[in-house]
Amino acid sequence: MDGGKLGCWVFALAIALMVQTSLSQTETTTGPTNTTSTGGNGGGQGSGQGGSCVGGASDTADWGAWLRWRSGEILYAMNYTNATRPGDPNNRWIDVSVGVRLSNIGSLSESSMQFEMSIDLFLSWFDDRLAGMSSHMTPVPGRHLWNPVYAMGEKVDPLCSDEGCLTQSDDQISTWLCPDGNVHHIAKQDVKITCAMNLRFYPLDKQECTFEIHGYDSMRFVLNPSFQWVVPGVPVVTDATSIHSQFEVTQVDFQAKYNSFLSSVHHCSYHKGSYGYVTDACTKQCENYGGSKLSGAEDPCDDTNKGSPNTYTTLAITMYMKRRLSYYMMEIYVPSITIVCLSWVAFWINRAAVPARVALGITTVLTMITQSTRVVDMPQISYVRAIDAWLLACQCMVFGALLEYAIVNYYDRKHKPKTAAAAPTHPVKVVRLPNPPSEKGVINGSGEKGSMNGHTKPAEPPKKPKNPEDEGIAAIIDKAARILFPLSYIGFNIFYWVYYSVADQHH
């Protein structure tokens, strides 16, 4: 009995030594390995949605093996070619798991209607020919492997179109091979996106920008990323810390659909979703912000000829952005409100102070005109924007204040008495008579008393009283303006803000 147990132990030890020797030889021939966590399981072999890679807690990559992968020596020895697509050539589609990360979102220019952004694509697919070539997750030059064929849509332009920018060096590792044959690839591209803007509500506007990524050569987008993906179940994330724009992203929608080179064939969506963003309130994982799910659904999409060679797949991403109003409040709205209120000061200045009231009115009008020129350059459009309506109303208010004083001054001067006729050039001399000392003066030739010392006293012209009715109209206009102008401006503000808020939401 003891001899049997001893034999079993010897047999088990021999098996363990054989397994260890086999693993050591495999690791030596497969090249450098990377033990970084993949962030989740991307599916089994043949699923095209990635796969878990076996690895330890440390990086055991071998430089010599990496050089053999870099030269393609290992792949050539296995008769591998990147010109042939993996899997059964009779299958119409090759499922490619995709995740999109948006970052470095720049300012959206109103004149060019473009903004810059960086797009990171996380792609995973299954290549049965590579299964068993590595024991761990191994970095591999992507140029030696078959890669999905994809292209940006017509609204997306690369910032750098030189061949040197588009070609990635082998030293920049971006492709990894797993033991089960799953391949993971990360591609980054800086682009400029064209966005057709509607500026009717500027600067209270919300813009909607859509860009597309097309998959060719039987590539089908599967929105289920796993490799290096930190937000499970969310195929599109945004770096909330790198938004350098006057807009804030409020919502991101995505849609995977079958498309066709024939314009008569209607596209069919097979996966769509929507996520709401509150980037200003982000407190954790802000570099990979996924938002809160609003909706999401998968559709088998059987109403199109998915087997036709004219069919390809498209991933459309729509960004909803809302303009930040703080800059325009401090630069446009608050200064213009101050100028309008300053023009009302003239209603409390004395009507006789013509220079003061005229100078104040002209100054506010010119200042308001200058304020109107501070709006940024815009394309030539044929409709009125919200900022145009605001500035026009403010200009009308300050010009109306100046016109009000013109009317008041007219009524104030309308019946003002003219200057009396000049006194006679030859005053009448007072004749000295031997009057008693008690007499204060004598009667001159005109019947008026004169002074005793021979001086004359000019005749005073008769005063014509002002028309109290005209003087009352001028005062009434001033008093009415003190109430009507502020009330009308307050009413305009209520209408302006309510209308554009409701109309923008409806739009």
Side-chain angles (χ1 to χ4, degrees):
M1 193 67 179
D2 294 338
K5 291 182 178 180
L6 180 61
C8 292
W9 280 106
V10 172
F11 181 75
L13 182 60
I15 295 296
L17 290 175
M18 292 175 60
V19 172
Q20 182 177 2
T21 303
S22 176
L23 290 176
S24 300
Q25 292 177 354
T26 304
E27 180 179 352
T28 304
T29 58
T30 53
T33 59
N34 191 340
T35 58
T36 306
S37 173
T38 62
N41 193 345
Q45 296 183 7
S47 65
Q49 299 180 13
S52 60
C53 292
V54 179
S58 61
D59 191 353
T60 59
D62 179 76
W63 181 254
W66 158 247
L67 293 178
R68 290 193 295 273
W69 278 104
R70 184 175 183 177
S71 63
E73 176 184 341
I74 297 177
L75 293 173
Y76 297 153
M78 301 297 294
N79 295 325
Y80 179 88
T81 174
N82 58 4
T84 305
R85 50 171 282 188
D88 187 356
N90 295 323
N91 292 337
R92 177 64 180 90
W93 300 106
I94 299 177
D95 290 343
V96 178
S97 174
V98 60
V100 182
R101 181 176 181 268
L102 310 177
S103 61
N104 298 324
I105 301 176
S107 177
L108 178 57
S109 172
E110 288 80 10
S111 57
S112 63
M113 294 191 178
Q114 292 180 328
F115 70 98
E116 298 178 1
M117 184 174 61
S118 297
I119 301 177
D120 297 341
L121 293 178
F122 293 76
L123 305 175
S124 300
W125 65 93
F126 175 72
D127 194 335
D128 57 338
R129 300 169 296 175
L130 300 175
M133 285 192 178
S134 64
S135 60
H136 295 17
M137 185 173 64
T138 305
V140 180
R143 57 187 175 88
H144 293 315
L145 304 180
W146 177 89
N147 287 271
V149 180
Y150 63 91
M152 297 294 177
E154 59 182 5
K155 295 182 180 181
V156 183
D157 298 320
L159 291 180
C160 181
S161 57
D162 296 339
E163 185 177 355
C165 300
L166 300 178
T167 304
Q168 193 172 21
S169 173
D170 290 341
D171 295 332
Q172 300 175 346
I173 299 175
S174 61
T175 307
W176 293 265
L177 173 63
C178 292
D180 54 5
N182 283 284
V183 183
H184 306 288
H185 176 71
I186 299 178
K188 182 174 182 179
Q189 191 170 3
D190 298 327
V191 298
K192 180 179 291 186
I193 298 179
T194 302
C195 179
M197 303 176 64
N198 186 352
L199 299 174
R200 294 182 183 273
F201 303 98
Y202 174 86
L204 308 174
D205 55 333
K206 298 178 182 178
Q207 300 300 333
E208 177 181 331
C209 300
T210 301
F211 63 94
E212 296 179 336
I213 305 174
H214 304 298
Y216 304 112
D217 192 20
S218 302
M219 174 185 176
R220 177 165 58 186
F221 292 105
V222 178
L223 304 182
N224 185 23
S226 61
F227 178 72
Q228 297 291 336
W229 202 253
V230 298
V231 188
V234 183
V236 181
V237 297
T238 304
D239 185 358
T241 63
S242 65
I243 300 178
H244 312 290
S245 174
Q246 74 273 32
F247 286 90
E248 60 176 330
V249 182
T250 59
Q251 184 177 329
V252 172
D253 294 351
F254 57 85
Q255 180 183 17
K257 57 186 177 181
Y258 294 104
N259 220 330
S260 177
F261 292 107
L262 303 177
S263 58
S264 59
V265 178
H266 182 69
H267 67 81
C268 178
S269 300
Y270 60 88
H271 193 177
K272 61 178 62 177
S274 178
Y275 287 80
Y277 278 31
V278 187
T279 55
D280 293 339
C282 178
T283 57
K284 60 181 180 179
Q285 294 185 351
C286 297
E287 295 182 354
N288 296 277
Y289 183 73
S292 57
K293 186 175 182 180
L294 302 178
S295 62
E298 296 186 27
D299 189 351
C301 190
D302 296 329
D303 59 346
T304 185
N305 188 7
K306 294 182 290 186
S308 171
N310 292 317
T311 305
Y312 61 95
T313 58
T314 298
L315 174 60
I317 299 177
T318 302
M319 302 175 60
Y320 296 88
M321 298 181 289
K322 180 180 179 181
R323 193 183 300 271
R324 304 176 189 270
L325 195 58
S326 57
Y327 170 80
Y328 297 92
M329 289 296 296
M330 299 304 298
E331 296 293 330
I332 300 295
Y333 287 102
V334 172
S336 57
I337 291 174
T338 304
I339 295 171
V340 171
C341 294
L342 184 62
S343 67
W344 300 339
V345 176
F347 303 148
W348 280 266
I349 299 178
N350 191 346
R351 298 191 301 274
V354 177
R357 294 190 64 164
V358 172
L360 180 60
I362 293 178
T363 301
T364 53
V365 170
L366 296 179
T367 306
M368 197 64 239
I369 294 175
T370 304
Q371 183 72 12
S372 302
T373 61
R374 300 190 61 183
V375 181
V376 297
D377 295 335
M378 292 283 177
Q380 296 181 355
I381 53 181
S382 58
Y383 49 81
V384 179
R385 302 165 302 170
I387 193 68
D388 297 331
W390 174 269
L391 293 175
L392 180 61
C394 293
Q395 289 181 8
C396 291
M397 292 297 296
V398 295
F399 181 75
L402 179 61
L403 186 63
E404 183 270 349
Y405 180 65
I407 298 174
V408 167
N409 186 262
Y410 169 77
Y411 280 105
D412 196 42
R413 295 167 56 92
K414 181 178 179 181
H415 294 286
K416 188 175 181 179
K418 298 181 180 180
T419 306
T425 55
H426 302 286
V428 180
K429 278 284 194 178
V430 178
V431 180
R432 295 179 180 272
L433 296 175
N435 293 331
S438 60
E439 191 171 347
K440 300 295 183 181
V442 296
I443 305 300
N444 54 22
S446 60
E448 296 180 354
K449 288 185 177 182
S451 61
M452 292 296 295
N453 55 7
H455 295 286
T456 63
K457 184 178 181 181
E460 296 182 358
K463 295 182 179 180
K464 184 177 181 180
K466 295 182 179 180
N467 189 341
E469 182 179 354
D470 293 335
E471 189 176 20
I473 292 178
I476 291 174
I477 294 176
D478 257 352
K479 292 179 181 179
R482 298 172 187 173
I483 301 176
L484 295 179
F485 271 76
L487 288 180
S488 60
Y489 192 61
I490 293 174
F492 164 75
N493 271 267
I494 296 175
F495 172 79
Y496 178 87
W497 295 105
V498 171
Y499 171 77
Y500 280 104
S501 298
V502 174
D504 184 47
Q505 293 178 0
H506 176 72
H507 172 74

